[in-house]
Amino acid sequence: MNPLLFNDRTLKGPGVIARVTPTGTQYVASVVAAAFSSHFADIKPPKERKDHQLSTVSTVTLRRLMLETLQLDKQLVSTTTSDGLLRIAIRNISVSSSAVLSGELRGIKLQDNVTFRTPSLRLDVAIRISKNTGGNPALKMESCKILTQGIKLVTKPMDPRNGKSIADGIAIDANSIFSDMICSKIDHIVTNRVNQRFALLSSRISLEDSKNFDIVKIIMQAEERMKRLVRQNMIRSNKTMRRNVHAHTARRISRDPIRVRGIRQTDEDKFHLILNSFNFSRADSLMLDYSMLSSPSLTSRGIELQTSGEVFQSGHVTPFGAGPIFLPRVPNPSQMLQIVVSDFVPNSLMFHGHRIKLFDTRIDWTTPQFGPVMRTTCDLSTGSLFCIGDLFPALREMLPDRNIAFVFTTLKAPAVIVQTEEKGGIHFSLLGLIRLISDRNEPIGEMEIRIEALMKMKLTPKSVKGKVTIEEIQFTSRSPRILLQEELDDAGFLSREILQRMVNDILRQGIPIPIHPLFKLVKPKLTLLPRSMLLETNFILNEHIIAQLTAENLIA
C-alpha cells in the first residue's frame, strides 16, 4: 500500500456519485417510452382484463378487448422527479383497440366487431426506483392514470341510435378501458422483463470485458444458465420423489433418518448447482464494481445515486476507502449527466494491479524508438549517438558493445492524489525496481526508482487517460559495484525522457469511467476537485439495447 493512502484506511464512502439531471431524465424517459410502445401490442399480461361491461349501457359488454396499436412522439414525453418517484407524462398518444360487442340493445342482439381509437390519449405514470440485491436498478410502478379525448368508433352499419349509444358508452368508459389494457402492460414489462433481466445482470464486470460489454449477450447467457439450473433441479426433484414413494411405508411408522439425510443432500446439491452456474475462471482478473450502494435519490435536482466504483481482485480486500465526495449543489441544465469520481477508483486499480504485476514492463533493444539506445556502446554504426552506456560508464567498461534490457516492476502500488488545479492538480507517486539484463539473459544489476510527478488528464467516452510530467527522480543502486550511486545521481536528469515513456506506458490503457455500459458519453468535460474529479457530459443511450431489454425475447 502506498504511504500516501495511509489516512484513507478508515474511509468507507462511495467511489462514485452520479446525477442524471432533469435534462437527462427526460431524454432517458423518452427513449424508454419509445421502446415500450413498440412492444405494447404483443404483450399479454396474465391479469389483463378481456371484457368490459359499459357503465351507461349495462346490457352491452365489450369482449375480447385487444390493444391494436400505440404510437407516441418522443418529443411529447416530460418528466419530473420528487418524493422518491419518477413521474412520466406522455401527451397525444395515438391508440386503437378492438373488441367484440356482446349483449342486447333496443331489442337487437349484438355480435359485431368494433374498433375504437383516439389520437390524444394522455398517460401519467409514477415509477419508484430502488436497488435490487445485486446492486442494479429495480423499478416499481406506483401509479398509472389514463385520460382520453375524442374517441372514434368504427363498426359495421347498425341502428344509428345503437351506434351512438355504444359510442357514447365507450367514450365515457374510455379512461377505465384503456387503463386496464395499457397500465397492466406497463407493469408486466417493468416486472417481468426489465427487473428480471437486471436481476440476472452482474454489477461486477472484468476490466477486459468492460471494453466491449455486450449487455444483451450477458443477459441471454444468464437466462440460459437459469433455465438449465431449473431443468437440473426438476430432474433431481423427480428422482427424489421416486425415492420417497419407496420409503412411504417406513415413514408412516417412524421418521426415516435416511430421508432426512436425503433432504439435506438435495439442498446441498442445489447449492452446488448454483455455484456451478457462475464462471470462476477469471478469479485472478481485475473487476470493476459499478453496483449501487443504496437506492437512488429522486428530487428536483434529478436522479442521484451512489456506486462503489472499486476496481478489485477477487479474494483480496482493498485496504483503503473513498473519502467524502460531493455533487455540485445545482444541476448543470446543459448537461445530462454529472459524475464525481473519487481518486479511490484509480488507486484501487493501481493497488490490485500492483498485486498481479499489471504494470510490469520491459524496454530492450527491440523496443520501437528505444532500440538503438539500449546498448552499452554506441556510435554512428549503431544508429544512435547516445545510449545507456553514456549514463552508466562503469557498466560500459564491464560489458562493452552489448544490448541491455530494463525490466521494470512496482515495489509498492502507485498512487494518485487529486487536488484542484490551483493546488497543483494530480500528484502521482511511484516506487519501482529496474533490473538490468544483458542480451544473453544474464542479470547485471538492480536499482530502485522513485518518481514524483504531476499528471494531466484526457477524457475519452470510456476512460480517463493520464500523461505524466516527472518533477523528481531518485535512483538508489542495489548493485553498487556495477551501478555506481554517483552515476545514478547524474543519470536522473538525462534519463527523464526514457522514464516518462515508461510511466506513460503504464498509464496508456487509461482508468475506466465506472458508468453503466448502457451509456455512451458525448463530449465529456473534466474538473478537478479535492480528492475527486467532476465529469459533466451528455450521453447517448443505445436504443436498440433498450428495446431488447423490454422485448419478450432477446436476440444477440
PDB file of all heavy atoms in Angstrom, residues 81 88 90 94 111-112 149 190 212 260 280 371 384 387 414 430 433 436 439 460 529 552:
ATOM      1  N   THR A  81     -39.063  14.655 -11.099  1.00  0.00           N
ATOM      2  CA  THR A  81     -38.577  13.771 -10.047  1.00  0.00           C
ATOM      3  C   THR A  81     -38.761  14.462  -8.710  1.00  0.00           C
ATOM      4  O   THR A  81     -38.300  15.587  -8.518  1.00  0.00           O
ATOM      5  CB  THR A  81     -37.092  13.425 -10.248  1.00  0.00           C
ATOM      6  OG1 THR A  81     -36.349  14.639 -10.483  1.00  0.00           O
ATOM      7  CG2 THR A  81     -36.899  12.499 -11.428  1.00  0.00           C
ATOM      8  N   ILE A  88     -43.691  10.318 -15.161  1.00  0.00           N
ATOM      9  CA  ILE A  88     -43.583  10.444 -16.615  1.00  0.00           C
ATOM     10  C   ILE A  88     -44.964  10.772 -17.179  1.00  0.00           C
ATOM     11  O   ILE A  88     -45.946  10.076 -16.880  1.00  0.00           O
ATOM     12  CB  ILE A  88     -43.066   9.137 -17.247  1.00  0.00           C
ATOM     13  CG1 ILE A  88     -41.738   8.734 -16.597  1.00  0.00           C
ATOM     14  CG2 ILE A  88     -42.906   9.287 -18.753  1.00  0.00           C
ATOM     15  CD1 ILE A  88     -41.271   7.355 -17.015  1.00  0.00           C
ATOM     16  N   ILE A  90     -46.942  11.554 -20.878  1.00  0.00           N
ATOM     17  CA  ILE A  90     -46.837  11.491 -22.342  1.00  0.00           C
ATOM     18  C   ILE A  90     -48.162  11.966 -22.917  1.00  0.00           C
ATOM     19  O   ILE A  90     -49.235  11.426 -22.606  1.00  0.00           O
ATOM     20  CB  ILE A  90     -46.542  10.057 -22.828  1.00  0.00           C
ATOM     21  CG1 ILE A  90     -45.353   9.464 -22.053  1.00  0.00           C
ATOM     22  CG2 ILE A  90     -46.258  10.045 -24.326  1.00  0.00           C
ATOM     23  CD1 ILE A  90     -45.064   8.023 -22.398  1.00  0.00           C
ATOM     24  N   SER A  94     -51.413   8.093 -29.791  1.00  0.00           N
ATOM     25  CA  SER A  94     -52.419   7.558 -30.703  1.00  0.00           C
ATOM     26  C   SER A  94     -52.615   6.071 -30.404  1.00  0.00           C
ATOM     27  O   SER A  94     -51.660   5.295 -30.480  1.00  0.00           O
ATOM     28  CB  SER A  94     -51.979   7.748 -32.153  1.00  0.00           C
ATOM     29  OG  SER A  94     -52.914   7.172 -33.030  1.00  0.00           O
ATOM     30  N   GLN A 111     -73.490  -8.737 -31.967  1.00  0.00           N
ATOM     31  CA  GLN A 111     -72.366  -9.667 -32.181  1.00  0.00           C
ATOM     32  C   GLN A 111     -71.329  -9.038 -33.115  1.00  0.00           C
ATOM     33  O   GLN A 111     -70.629  -9.729 -33.840  1.00  0.00           O
ATOM     34  CB  GLN A 111     -72.861 -10.990 -32.781  1.00  0.00           C
ATOM     35  CG  GLN A 111     -73.741 -11.804 -31.850  1.00  0.00           C
ATOM     36  CD  GLN A 111     -74.200 -13.100 -32.486  1.00  0.00           C
ATOM     37  OE1 GLN A 111     -74.380 -13.193 -33.717  1.00  0.00           O
ATOM     38  NE2 GLN A 111     -74.408 -14.120 -31.666  1.00  0.00           N
ATOM     39  N   ASP A 112     -71.237  -7.735 -33.097  1.00  0.00           N
ATOM     40  CA  ASP A 112     -70.411  -7.016 -34.065  1.00  0.00           C
ATOM     41  C   ASP A 112     -68.978  -6.855 -33.557  1.00  0.00           C
ATOM     42  O   ASP A 112     -68.726  -6.673 -32.366  1.00  0.00           O
ATOM     43  CB  ASP A 112     -70.993  -5.622 -34.330  1.00  0.00           C
ATOM     44  CG  ASP A 112     -72.414  -5.681 -34.859  1.00  0.00           C
ATOM     45  OD1 ASP A 112     -72.578  -5.931 -36.057  1.00  0.00           O
ATOM     46  OD2 ASP A 112     -73.332  -5.491 -34.031  1.00  0.00           O
ATOM     47  N   GLN A 149     -59.446  11.645 -24.943  1.00  0.00           N
ATOM     48  CA  GLN A 149     -60.335  12.610 -25.580  1.00  0.00           C
ATOM     49  C   GLN A 149     -60.568  12.183 -27.022  1.00  0.00           C
ATOM     50  O   GLN A 149     -59.704  11.573 -27.645  1.00  0.00           O
ATOM     51  CB  GLN A 149     -59.726  14.018 -25.563  1.00  0.00           C
ATOM     52  CG  GLN A 149     -59.601  14.636 -24.184  1.00  0.00           C
ATOM     53  CD  GLN A 149     -58.980  16.016 -24.248  1.00  0.00           C
ATOM     54  OE1 GLN A 149     -58.315  16.354 -25.219  1.00  0.00           O
ATOM     55  NE2 GLN A 149     -59.205  16.826 -23.224  1.00  0.00           N
ATOM     56  N   VAL A 190     -42.259  -3.894 -16.839  1.00  0.00           N
ATOM     57  CA  VAL A 190     -41.348  -3.497 -15.762  1.00  0.00           C
ATOM     58  C   VAL A 190     -41.001  -4.684 -14.875  1.00  0.00           C
ATOM     59  O   VAL A 190     -39.826  -4.930 -14.563  1.00  0.00           O
ATOM     60  CB  VAL A 190     -41.981  -2.357 -14.925  1.00  0.00           C
ATOM     61  CG1 VAL A 190     -41.201  -2.146 -13.642  1.00  0.00           C
ATOM     62  CG2 VAL A 190     -42.036  -1.073 -15.739  1.00  0.00           C
ATOM     63  N   ASN A 212     -15.645  -4.039 -24.229  1.00  0.00           N
ATOM     64  CA  ASN A 212     -16.639  -4.418 -25.248  1.00  0.00           C
ATOM     65  C   ASN A 212     -17.778  -5.155 -24.555  1.00  0.00           C
ATOM     66  O   ASN A 212     -18.025  -6.327 -24.810  1.00  0.00           O
ATOM     67  CB  ASN A 212     -16.000  -5.305 -26.322  1.00  0.00           C
ATOM     68  CG  ASN A 212     -14.904  -4.603 -27.085  1.00  0.00           C
ATOM     69  OD1 ASN A 212     -15.154  -3.686 -27.858  1.00  0.00           O
ATOM     70  ND2 ASN A 212     -13.664  -5.025 -26.867  1.00  0.00           N
ATOM     71  N   VAL A 260     -34.207 -37.889   5.903  1.00  0.00           N
ATOM     72  CA  VAL A 260     -33.723 -36.587   6.356  1.00  0.00           C
ATOM     73  C   VAL A 260     -32.378 -36.279   5.733  1.00  0.00           C
ATOM     74  O   VAL A 260     -32.119 -35.192   5.255  1.00  0.00           O
ATOM     75  CB  VAL A 260     -33.643 -36.566   7.900  1.00  0.00           C
ATOM     76  CG1 VAL A 260     -33.015 -35.256   8.364  1.00  0.00           C
ATOM     77  CG2 VAL A 260     -35.029 -36.754   8.503  1.00  0.00           C
ATOM     78  N   PHE A 280     -16.003 -18.999 -12.594  1.00  0.00           N
ATOM     79  CA  PHE A 280     -14.918 -18.603 -11.717  1.00  0.00           C
ATOM     80  C   PHE A 280     -13.567 -18.641 -12.437  1.00  0.00           C
ATOM     81  O   PHE A 280     -12.527 -18.557 -11.804  1.00  0.00           O
ATOM     82  CB  PHE A 280     -14.859 -19.526 -10.498  1.00  0.00           C
ATOM     83  CG  PHE A 280     -16.043 -19.389  -9.587  1.00  0.00           C
ATOM     84  CD1 PHE A 280     -17.090 -20.286  -9.653  1.00  0.00           C
ATOM     85  CD2 PHE A 280     -16.105 -18.354  -8.684  1.00  0.00           C
ATOM     86  CE1 PHE A 280     -18.176 -20.160  -8.815  1.00  0.00           C
ATOM     87  CE2 PHE A 280     -17.191 -18.218  -7.836  1.00  0.00           C
ATOM     88  CZ  PHE A 280     -18.236 -19.125  -7.903  1.00  0.00           C
ATOM     89  N   GLY A 371      15.150   1.092 -29.226  1.00  0.00           N
ATOM     90  CA  GLY A 371      16.076   0.006 -29.518  1.00  0.00           C
ATOM     91  C   GLY A 371      17.540   0.429 -29.599  1.00  0.00           C
ATOM     92  O   GLY A 371      18.395  -0.123 -28.887  1.00  0.00           O
ATOM     93  N   SER A 384      22.722   5.372 -33.255  1.00  0.00           N
ATOM     94  CA  SER A 384      22.432   6.348 -32.214  1.00  0.00           C
ATOM     95  C   SER A 384      23.743   6.861 -31.622  1.00  0.00           C
ATOM     96  O   SER A 384      24.677   6.096 -31.391  1.00  0.00           O
ATOM     97  CB  SER A 384      21.573   5.723 -31.107  1.00  0.00           C
ATOM     98  OG  SER A 384      21.389   6.644 -30.055  1.00  0.00           O
ATOM     99  N   CYS A 387      23.406   6.410 -25.769  1.00  0.00           N
ATOM    100  CA  CYS A 387      22.898   5.111 -25.335  1.00  0.00           C
ATOM    101  C   CYS A 387      23.065   4.965 -23.831  1.00  0.00           C
ATOM    102  O   CYS A 387      23.605   5.850 -23.155  1.00  0.00           O
ATOM    103  CB  CYS A 387      23.594   3.977 -26.075  1.00  0.00           C
ATOM    104  SG  CYS A 387      25.392   3.957 -25.858  1.00  0.00           S
ATOM    105  N   PRO A 414       1.464   2.164  -7.080  1.00  0.00           N
ATOM    106  CA  PRO A 414       1.459   3.605  -7.370  1.00  0.00           C
ATOM    107  C   PRO A 414       0.205   4.251  -6.781  1.00  0.00           C
ATOM    108  O   PRO A 414      -0.767   3.570  -6.452  1.00  0.00           O
ATOM    109  CB  PRO A 414       1.459   3.657  -8.899  1.00  0.00           C
ATOM    110  CG  PRO A 414       1.930   2.305  -9.336  1.00  0.00           C
ATOM    111  CD  PRO A 414       1.457   1.341  -8.297  1.00  0.00           C
ATOM    112  N   LEU A 430       5.307   6.971  -7.456  1.00  0.00           N
ATOM    113  CA  LEU A 430       5.642   5.606  -7.858  1.00  0.00           C
ATOM    114  C   LEU A 430       6.983   5.197  -7.260  1.00  0.00           C
ATOM    115  O   LEU A 430       7.932   5.977  -7.257  1.00  0.00           O
ATOM    116  CB  LEU A 430       5.676   5.502  -9.387  1.00  0.00           C
ATOM    117  CG  LEU A 430       6.059   4.153 -10.006  1.00  0.00           C
ATOM    118  CD1 LEU A 430       5.282   3.919 -11.292  1.00  0.00           C
ATOM    119  CD2 LEU A 430       7.566   4.091 -10.305  1.00  0.00           C
ATOM    120  N   LEU A 433      11.295  -0.972  -9.196  1.00  0.00           N
ATOM    121  CA  LEU A 433      12.607  -1.608  -9.306  1.00  0.00           C
ATOM    122  C   LEU A 433      12.906  -1.862 -10.777  1.00  0.00           C
ATOM    123  O   LEU A 433      12.040  -2.360 -11.519  1.00  0.00           O
ATOM    124  CB  LEU A 433      12.622  -2.937  -8.542  1.00  0.00           C
ATOM    125  CG  LEU A 433      13.922  -3.745  -8.623  1.00  0.00           C
ATOM    126  CD1 LEU A 433      15.043  -3.030  -7.863  1.00  0.00           C
ATOM    127  CD2 LEU A 433      13.714  -5.157  -8.081  1.00  0.00           C
ATOM    128  N   LEU A 436      18.477  -4.810 -14.717  1.00  0.00           N
ATOM    129  CA  LEU A 436      19.207  -4.758 -15.982  1.00  0.00           C
ATOM    130  C   LEU A 436      19.595  -6.175 -16.373  1.00  0.00           C
ATOM    131  O   LEU A 436      20.174  -6.924 -15.564  1.00  0.00           O
ATOM    132  CB  LEU A 436      20.457  -3.886 -15.864  1.00  0.00           C
ATOM    133  CG  LEU A 436      20.252  -2.368 -16.007  1.00  0.00           C
ATOM    134  CD1 LEU A 436      19.420  -1.801 -14.865  1.00  0.00           C
ATOM    135  CD2 LEU A 436      21.611  -1.660 -16.091  1.00  0.00           C
ATOM    136  N   ASP A 439      21.850  -9.093 -23.275  1.00  0.00           N
ATOM    137  CA  ASP A 439      21.271  -9.794 -24.413  1.00  0.00           C
ATOM    138  C   ASP A 439      21.523 -11.295 -24.362  1.00  0.00           C
ATOM    139  O   ASP A 439      21.032 -12.045 -25.201  1.00  0.00           O
ATOM    140  CB  ASP A 439      21.785  -9.204 -25.732  1.00  0.00           C
ATOM    141  CG  ASP A 439      23.290  -9.046 -25.733  1.00  0.00           C
ATOM    142  OD1 ASP A 439      23.959  -9.596 -24.821  1.00  0.00           O
ATOM    143  OD2 ASP A 439      23.798  -8.342 -26.624  1.00  0.00           O
ATOM    144  N   THR A 460     -11.837  10.295 -22.628  1.00  0.00           N
ATOM    145  CA  THR A 460     -12.436   9.647 -23.786  1.00  0.00           C
ATOM    146  C   THR A 460     -13.815   9.170 -23.343  1.00  0.00           C
ATOM    147  O   THR A 460     -14.120   9.187 -22.150  1.00  0.00           O
ATOM    148  CB  THR A 460     -11.589   8.456 -24.263  1.00  0.00           C
ATOM    149  OG1 THR A 460     -11.717   7.382 -23.311  1.00  0.00           O
ATOM    150  CG2 THR A 460     -10.128   8.839 -24.405  1.00  0.00           C
ATOM    151  N   LEU A 529     -11.345  18.366  -8.406  1.00  0.00           N
ATOM    152  CA  LEU A 529     -11.820  18.777  -7.096  1.00  0.00           C
ATOM    153  C   LEU A 529     -10.922  18.139  -6.035  1.00  0.00           C
ATOM    154  O   LEU A 529     -10.103  17.273  -6.354  1.00  0.00           O
ATOM    155  CB  LEU A 529     -13.274  18.324  -6.889  1.00  0.00           C
ATOM    156  CG  LEU A 529     -14.304  18.776  -7.929  1.00  0.00           C
ATOM    157  CD1 LEU A 529     -15.641  18.102  -7.675  1.00  0.00           C
ATOM    158  CD2 LEU A 529     -14.454  20.294  -7.906  1.00  0.00           C
ATOM    159  N   GLU A 552     -39.901  -9.326 -25.490  1.00  0.00           N
ATOM    160  CA  GLU A 552     -40.176 -10.640 -24.893  1.00  0.00           C
ATOM    161  C   GLU A 552     -38.983 -11.561 -25.029  1.00  0.00           C
ATOM    162  O   GLU A 552     -38.609 -12.273 -24.093  1.00  0.00           O
ATOM    163  CB  GLU A 552     -41.397 -11.274 -25.563  1.00  0.00           C
ATOM    164  CG  GLU A 552     -41.767 -12.632 -24.982  1.00  0.00           C
ATOM    165  CD  GLU A 552     -43.028 -13.203 -25.590  1.00  0.00           C
ATOM    166  OE1 GLU A 552     -43.599 -12.561 -26.501  1.00  0.00           O
ATOM    167  OE2 GLU A 552     -43.450 -14.302 -25.174  1.00  0.00           O
TER     168      GLU A 552
END
